[in-house]
Amino acid sequence: DGARVPPKKEYPGARGAPVDFSGLPGRIAWVVGASMMIRREVFERVGGFDPDFFLYGEETDLCLRIRQAGFTIGYVDEVEVAHIGGVSEGRTPTYDLQVQRQKGLHRLYRKHYPPEAVLHILRRDLCRSRCRLALHTLKGRVFGMSEATRENCERYRAICDSCSRFLSATEERTG
């Protein structure tokens, strides 16, 4: 739709969490994979894309590992890349799509964040998504359940369910 996706200055979940990435080189944390160009030697040095990621979180993981290897992430504002977002998802229901996105985020957290930070982020995301789910459910009951409101309910229900499952599994692992 012609929308620009600027480079991200911080990693998902890191704001307000006990995680410090300030020692990494450069000011850009990550860029969208659809417009990414990487030198072959850098890509090979960091081991390329992690095959444990599928569709969500892989570019964030790669950029973080690139910065951890001492390189910076750049961004050229004058270049435009046409990306047809959402094609890979096809007609995936909102709930299922959001669960997949959450799996990518949770995989990123588990791989790069200390266990206490993961727990903090998951608890925060669970609390926020419960509040948003309650608000959208109330909105649907008061004003009628529009398609947008229904999709928001599905999105936040998926986040609640994913965070709850992942939080339970994480707490079991960490004791």
Side-chain angles (χ1 to χ4, degrees):
D1 62 1
R4 289 189 169 271
V5 181
K8 307 302 180 193
K9 304 283 184 173
E10 57 191 34
Y11 295 101
R15 182 179 292 189
V19 180
D20 183 14
F21 293 112
S22 63
L24 296 176
R27 294 184 2 229
I28 297 173
W30 61 280
V31 294
V32 173
S35 62
M36 192 182 283
M37 295 182 75
I38 305 168
R39 288 189 195 122
R40 177 186 298 257
E41 61 270 13
V42 173
F43 188 76
E44 289 173 353
R45 181 169 170 191
V46 300
F49 285 108
D50 182 336
D52 288 340
F53 287 87
F54 177 72
L55 220 56
Y56 301 106
E58 72 280 1
E59 70 262 85
T60 309
D61 169 67
L62 180 64
C63 287
L64 179 51
R65 289 185 291 117
I66 287 170
R67 291 181 73 208
Q68 289 170 333
F71 300 96
T72 59
I73 306 299
Y75 180 79
V76 181
D77 193 47
E78 296 81 23
V79 175
E80 290 187 26
V81 174
H83 173 54
I84 304 171
V87 172
S88 299
E89 293 111 16
R91 298 184 197 277
T92 305
T94 301
Y95 181 92
D96 297 337
L97 178 60
Q98 193 60 50
V99 166
Q100 284 303 112
R101 288 180 177 164
Q102 290 300 303
K103 284 181 181 178
L105 276 176
H106 297 164
R107 192 168 288 118
L108 180 79
Y109 298 157
R110 185 174 47 229
K111 182 174 179 179
H112 293 288
Y113 296 19
E116 68 275 2
V118 175
L119 292 174
H120 173 82
I121 294 165
L122 290 172
R123 289 177 184 134
R124 182 190 64 197
D125 288 355
L126 179 58
C127 182
R128 286 178 178 171
S129 60
R130 282 179 176 161
C131 289
R132 290 177 178 153
L133 176 59
L135 288 173
H136 285 286
T137 301
L138 180 61
K139 179 182 176 183
R141 289 183 179 155
V142 171
F143 301 107
M145 191 61 77
S146 69
E147 183 63 24
T149 302
R150 187 195 63 72
E151 283 195 14
N152 281 324
C153 287
E154 288 299 301
R155 180 176 298 113
Y156 292 117
R157 185 173 294 111
I159 295 170
C160 286
D161 292 349
S162 297
C163 286
S164 294
R165 283 191 297 267
F166 194 84
L167 190 55
S168 294
T170 302
E171 287 173 334
E172 285 175 15
R173 274 194 302 273
T174 59

